[in-house]
């Protein structure tokens, strides 16, 4: 797929959604590989809301990078947070849920808050790619969620080389932890910098978990 044509296709679809009266948002984790789509979307639609799921457990570098990108690019950042206080996220064993029950931790810190947030929108733009996981390989470009929101996956058929080329062409910055071997960066307790070619293998390392859950609900 030729990148310029792929970018033009995304821009046209976003503009088409907007011109048809839809309210759009895009979710971003502010990782290096997330920035190309964020860059494309915020230039096509400067008014688009950029949703960041703020679990309270991110690396300090992620928060600083998020703030810098938002300031430099000038978009509207919407921080999505859980209604469950951190002192209510401790299991009877005394451990935080991320250690004791990571599925439930993701549910209350990511899934529930985002589900509430996207109900305000007609179109949710998400940067999933088929080459990332087996689950993501099964997705369609457009999916209608139970809530009626249309979830749009504009870079589903992109690969890591296309992400790299676009980032180089537009001189996009890199997440500071990438230089330390972190290829996929989520919450600090559940992210590892391991030597692997698979982008998401450092997430929930040592478990069968590969998704936080926000993309599993339909």
């Amino acid at each position: 797929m030729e990148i310029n044509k792929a970018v033009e296709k995304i821009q046209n679809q976003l503009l088409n959604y907007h011109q048809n009266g839809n309210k759009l948002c895009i979710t971003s984790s502010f990782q290096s590989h997330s920035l190309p789509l964020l860059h494309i979307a915020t230039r096509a639609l400067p008014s688009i809301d950029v949703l960041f799921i703020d679990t309270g457990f991110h690396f300090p570098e992620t928060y600083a990078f998020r703030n810098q990108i938002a300031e430099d690019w000038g978009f509207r950042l919407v921080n999505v947070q859980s209604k469950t206080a951190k002192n209510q996220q401790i299991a009877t064993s005394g451990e935080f849920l991320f250690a004791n029950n990571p599925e439930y931790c993701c549910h209350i810190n990511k899934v529930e808050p985002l589900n509430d947030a996207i109900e305000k929108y007609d179109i949710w733009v998400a940067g999933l790619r088929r080459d990332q996981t087996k689950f993501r390989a099964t997705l369609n470009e457009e999916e209608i969620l139970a809530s009626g929101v249309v979830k749009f996956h504009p870079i589903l058929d992109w690969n890591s080389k296309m992400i790299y080329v676009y980032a180089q062409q537009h001189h996009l910055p890199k997440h500071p932890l990438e230089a330390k071997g972190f290829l996929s960066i989520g919450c600090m307790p559940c992210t590892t910098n391991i030597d692997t070619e698979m982008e998401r293998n450092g997430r929930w390392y040592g478990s069968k978990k590969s998704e936080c859950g926000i993309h599993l609900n339909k």
Side-chain angles (χ1 to χ4, degrees):
M1 185 185 298
E2 202 271 319
I3 285 188
N4 291 337
K5 289 183 179 179
V7 170
E8 184 179 3
K9 177 185 175 184
I10 295 170
Q11 292 171 332
N12 289 340
Q13 183 61 63
L14 292 174
L15 289 170
N16 183 57
Y17 284 139
H18 179 68
Q19 290 165 359
N20 285 333
N22 293 293
K23 186 175 182 182
L24 289 87
C25 71
I26 180 172
T27 46
S28 182
S29 59
F30 290 90
Q31 301 178 65
S32 299
H33 61 78
S34 303
L35 293 191
L37 178 58
L38 183 62
H39 188 260
I40 293 167
T42 54
R43 267 129 195 86
L45 286 180
S47 62
I48 194 170
D49 285 353
V50 179
L51 275 54
F52 174 76
I53 305 175
D54 184 2
T55 63
F57 295 113
H58 289 289
F59 289 89
E61 291 89 342
T62 296
Y63 287 115
F65 191 59
R66 174 204 62 184
N67 294 344
Q68 189 62 57
I69 296 296
E71 181 179 346
D72 291 347
W73 294 9
F75 51 73
R76 181 170 181 264
L77 177 66
V78 179
N79 290 310
V80 177
Q81 297 175 316
S82 176
K83 295 177 182 177
T84 305
K86 292 295 179 286
N87 62 7
Q88 295 178 306
Q89 298 187 29
I90 300 174
T92 54
S93 62
E95 298 175 306
F96 264 110
L97 290 175
F98 58 71
N100 180 274
N101 190 342
E103 289 288 352
Y104 187 57
C105 183
C106 284
H107 182 77
I108 61 175
N109 285 299
K110 295 184 176 183
V111 179
E112 285 185 344
L114 185 62
N115 283 347
D116 289 342
I118 63 172
E119 286 184 357
K120 304 172 186 175
Y121 301 93
D122 303 300
I123 311 292
W124 167 19
V125 183
L128 281 67
R129 305 198 321 265
R130 286 198 174 99
D131 68 346
Q132 290 175 318
T133 67
K134 290 181 180 179
F135 164 74
R136 298 181 181 201
T138 68
L139 296 173
N140 298 313
E141 189 173 88
E142 276 189 348
E143 298 192 350
I144 301 178
L145 306 182
S147 62
V149 175
V150 174
K151 190 179 179 190
F152 177 42
H153 303 117
I155 60 169
L156 204 55
D157 291 323
W158 285 42
N159 55 40
S160 56
K161 181 180 180 181
M162 293 173 71
I163 295 292
Y164 173 80
V165 169
Y166 184 92
Q168 291 293 106
Q169 286 178 345
H170 296 274
H171 308 288
L172 302 186
K174 293 182 178 181
H175 191 295
L177 289 178
E178 191 172 300
K180 297 182 180 180
F182 290 88
L183 299 182
S184 181
I185 304 162
C187 293
M188 186 161 49
C190 302
T191 303
T192 308
N193 56 338
I194 60 171
D195 185 16
T196 175
E197 293 182 0
M198 295 300 293
E199 193 174 273
R200 291 181 60 83
N201 278 2
R203 304 287 289 277
W204 306 286
Y205 183 65
S207 75
K208 294 180 179 180
K209 184 174 172 63
S210 62
E211 296 283 348
C212 65
I214 65 172
H215 300 296
L216 300 179
N217 292 341
K218 294 187 179 182

